Amino acid sequence: MNVENRAEDFVHRLDAAAKAVEDKLDALLAPGPLAGEIERPARLLGAIRYSTLGGGKRLRPFLVLESARLFGFEGDGPLRAGCALEMIHCYSLVHDDLPAMDDDDLRRGRPTTHKAFDEATAILAGDALLTHAFDVLADSATHPDATIRCNLVLALARAAGLGGMVGGQALDLGAETARGALSQQEILTLQAMKTGALLRFAVDAGAILGRADEARGQALSRYGAALGAAFQIADDILDAEGDAAALGKRAGKDAERGKATLVGLLGLETAKARRNALVDEAIAALNATGLGSATATLAEAAQFVARRNN
Ligand code: GRG
């Protein structure tokens, strides 16, 4: 396949995954209560569905599907794991947009959840999505082997919680009010936690589901970490350069709020060079899996992350 065909094939696969994720999320967030639940309140469910359905690139679930596929594991299990991860991602966006955090009015080209509903409902929608993600992973429909399900739950808890995304968000908020600027290492740590941890979990989940051997699992994890770092720099570059219409959210916020970013610290050109080097690093990690051309879609995903415009 030439470069153009590869990019086209990637977009086709991402679209197909996004459609499957949309349908599965729709089913997982249906009004009917599950065994053990009492009822699903209509307004809360409305806010959850508003913040979860009908938008987003679905990159994280796509990475779960593609990495599980590397190990011959396809179907409902990876789709459910991808949806669980997307629920965590959507909850983080809803909470991040709240007045107490980034205070944003626009997300995915629409009013943020607290604007479309109200703050308390947005907080609860995020809480319910966070909890429901673990329900989805723990359900035997995700994998028949309870040890695999337990490993998924543990890995997601570590990626999303205190020492992962939530911790990264806390460091980010702290940096806004800190007296001195953050060092490059501090920014890298913050970004690896806030954004990188969920992206890395995406490929770790595929390896867990597909029972990858340790060396391949570790190589894939290195790919996920490099991809996550490239993703965050690309996000910072988009914020500095991007246009709000394409982004579906306001641009230029980082500089305004004094956010700790590599673009702010190193300048745009150095940040772009670093982003490109991270894409190379991600692809080198894929090559280290020894899985050859089977990893071509994941290599394309790394390129996509760097060249995206939203
Ligand atoms: C509130 C606990 C808590 C955490 C928030 C993820 C996050 C942490 C905040 C979001 C702020 C932000 C814009 C971070 C940069 C990276 C990022 C997560 C961008 C949005 O992800 P995309 O581009 O979004 O994958 P879509 O809409 O395509 O799903």
Side-chain angles (χ1 to χ4, degrees), residues 62-72 202-207 220 298:
F62 173 77
L63 292 170
V64 177
L65 296 177
E66 285 298 327
S67 52
R69 203 161 66 86
L70 281 183
F71 306 102
V203 294
D204 288 346
L220 213 51
L298 288 179

Side-chain angles (χ1 to χ4, degrees), residues 55-60 86 88-98 101-102 104 107-108 160 165-170 172-173 193-195 198-199 231-232 235-236 238 247 249 253-254 259 308 310:
K57 296 178 285 298
R58 312 302 196 192
L59 179 64
R60 292 159 191 78
E86 188 70 10
I88 299 276
H89 170 58
C90 292
Y91 120 70
S92 81
L93 298 179
V94 172
H95 280 190
D96 186 64
D97 290 334
L98 286 166
M101 299 227 191
D102 257 13
D104 271 307
R107 168 72 64 186
R108 292 176 165 172
M165 181 186 72
V166 174
Q169 177 78 348
D172 200 21
L173 291 175
M193 292 168 70
K194 179 180 146 177
T195 322
L198 285 197
L199 287 158
F231 182 96
Q232 182 60 58
D235 208 74
D236 297 342
L238 280 172
L247 281 175
K249 62 181 184 183
K253 284 182 313 178
D254 292 348
K259 283 249 182 216
R308 72 201 171 93
N310 72 6

Side-chain angles (χ1 to χ4, degrees), residues 118-245:
D118 56 77
E119 269 184 60
T121 305
I123 292 169
L124 293 175
D127 292 344
L129 278 168
L130 166 60
T131 315
H132 203 53
F134 290 98
D135 180 318
V136 172
L137 287 186
D139 193 300
S140 61
T142 298
H143 199 287
D145 183 336
T147 304
I148 299 270
R149 300 200 301 275
C150 193
N151 287 340
L152 287 173
V153 165
L154 186 62
L156 184 58
R158 300 257 164 103
L162 177 60
M165 181 186 72
V166 174
Q169 177 78 348
L171 293 176
D172 200 21
L173 291 175
E176 281 181 27
T177 49
R179 245 179 292 143
L182 257 53
S183 70
Q184 185 166 333
Q185 189 49 52
E186 285 169 328
I187 295 175
L188 291 176
T189 301
L190 179 168
Q191 296 189 339
M193 292 168 70
K194 179 180 146 177
T195 322
L198 285 197
L199 287 158
R200 203 177 79 173
F201 168 79
V203 294
D204 288 346
I208 293 171
L209 284 162
R211 298 182 198 270
D213 67 43
E214 204 180 321
R216 282 188 170 145
Q218 280 175 2
L220 213 51
S221 231
R222 288 201 302 280
Y223 160 82
L227 177 108
F231 182 96
Q232 182 60 58
I233 298 184
D235 208 74
D236 297 342
I237 293 169
L238 280 172
D239 184 79
E241 283 192 325
D243 101 82

Side-chain angles (χ1 to χ4, degrees), residues 23-44:
D23 292 348
K24 180 56 78 178
L25 284 171
D26 186 27
L28 291 168
L29 300 171
L34 298 172
E37 291 180 339
I38 296 164
E39 70 166 56
R40 296 181 163 191
R43 183 173 166 80
L44 178 60

